[in-house]
Amino acid sequence: MKKILILVFTEFFLFSFSQKKMSPIAYKNSAEVFTIKGLSQSTSIDCGSSKMILLSGQVPLDAAGNLVGNDVETQTEQVFKNIENILKEYGATGKDIIKLGIFITDISKTPDFRKIRDLHINLQNPPVSSLVEVSRLFRDDVLIEVEATAVIKNK
């Protein structure tokens, strides 16, 4: 009798507290954003009732890999277009962004960045951010790179 009770309790415990049988991590790319072979554009982590989406640094390249713009404002527009396209793969938008990591080659151009950023984020609860001036990005003509983290409710 004792063994049966232990078995019933164990089965109840396992069924009550176990998670769904699915991978808690998923990787996605958007066909609308230039992809570098061997790198992922984003990954999501299933956190139970929500999903955290981590985006790799986005640069101002269009889907064909061409640079868009030669100033921070125009490049930032393309960066956020790329971010939005990737987030769309998860059913998210820029309003779901909770953290930004910004790498800019000229910190005096930060107001130009913020002007565009503010069109894409939740201004009532803006994301936490880190802004770093760098001497150079992966190409001399790239002036800005932005990493993003978003959180959405699981459906």
Side-chain angles (χ1 to χ4, degrees):
M1 181 70 170
K2 186 177 178 182
K3 288 181 182 180
I4 292 175
L5 284 175
I6 291 172
L7 180 61
V8 168
F9 177 75
T10 303
E11 298 249 352
F12 174 77
F13 180 81
L14 290 174
F15 285 115
S16 297
F17 298 104
S18 65
Q19 289 191 357
K20 299 175 188 171
K21 298 225 177 191
M22 66 175 156
S23 175
I25 299 174
Y27 297 86
K28 289 188 180 183
N29 291 329
S30 169
E32 298 179 42
V33 178
F34 182 69
T35 302
I36 298 172
K37 186 177 179 180
L39 299 176
S40 295
Q41 293 172 348
S42 66
T43 186
S44 67
I45 302 167
D46 187 339
C47 301
S49 62
S50 62
K51 184 179 300 185
M52 182 184 310
I53 306 161
L54 303 139
L55 276 66
S56 61
Q58 295 303 303
V59 293
L61 301 180
D62 64 16
N66 301 310
L67 181 71
V68 175
N70 58 4
D71 60 89
V72 168
E73 192 171 323
T74 306
Q75 288 193 7
T76 301
E77 287 176 18
Q78 182 63 43
V79 165
F80 274 96
K81 181 178 178 183
N82 293 346
I83 288 171
E84 292 276 356
N85 282 330
I86 294 168
L87 289 175
K88 186 170 46 172
E89 295 292 321
Y90 296 96
T93 71
K95 306 296 183 196
D96 299 308
I97 295 172
I98 62 163
K99 176 156 185 8
L100 291 171
I102 304 108
F103 305 92
I104 193 166
T105 58
D106 182 355
I107 206 156
S108 73
K109 302 296 183 186
T110 301
D112 297 336
F113 163 77
R114 286 186 179 147
K115 185 165 102 176
I116 302 305
R117 176 209 59 187
D118 289 354
L119 300 173
H120 297 275
I121 63 167
N122 178 349
L123 290 175
Q124 298 300 316
N125 294 300
V128 298
S129 299
S130 299
L131 174 68
V132 179
E133 183 178 41
V134 294
S135 62
R136 184 171 183 234
L137 290 163
F138 83 107
R139 283 177 28 180
D140 289 332
D141 53 357
V142 172
L143 307 173
I144 190 158
E145 181 171 338
V146 179
E147 296 175 340
T149 301
V151 173
I152 58 171
K153 291 182 181 178
N154 272 335
K155 296 175 177 135

